Amino acid sequence: MPIESSQNRTLNLALRNCGGEAGLAKALKIPLESLSPWLSGRETPSAELYMATLKLVAAGRAKPR
């Protein structure tokens, strides 16, 4: 059973900001298939990718709504 973590919560927020898995993979410059285990919480991304994801979430919150 996947465990919810700050990493996969952040990835799921970034997923929404990027318009889906393809957009998030492109923004992070990673293969699409790398996302599934991270989004489900089965694995965690590297610290570098997590920081890039935090930046995507922050940028999404800065956009006017």
Side-chain angles (χ1 to χ4, degrees), residues 11-30:
L11 280 160
N12 279 289
L13 287 172
L15 181 73
R16 284 186 250 150
N17 288 352
C18 292
E21 289 185 16
L24 179 56
K26 183 177 180 180
L28 293 174
K29 299 176 180 137
I30 60 168

Side-chain angles (χ1 to χ4, degrees), residues 31-49:
L32 182 60
E33 58 273 1
S34 296
L35 287 175
S36 181
W38 299 338
L39 290 168
S40 68
R42 291 188 312 267
E43 294 180 18
T44 56
S46 68
E48 181 181 330
L49 279 170

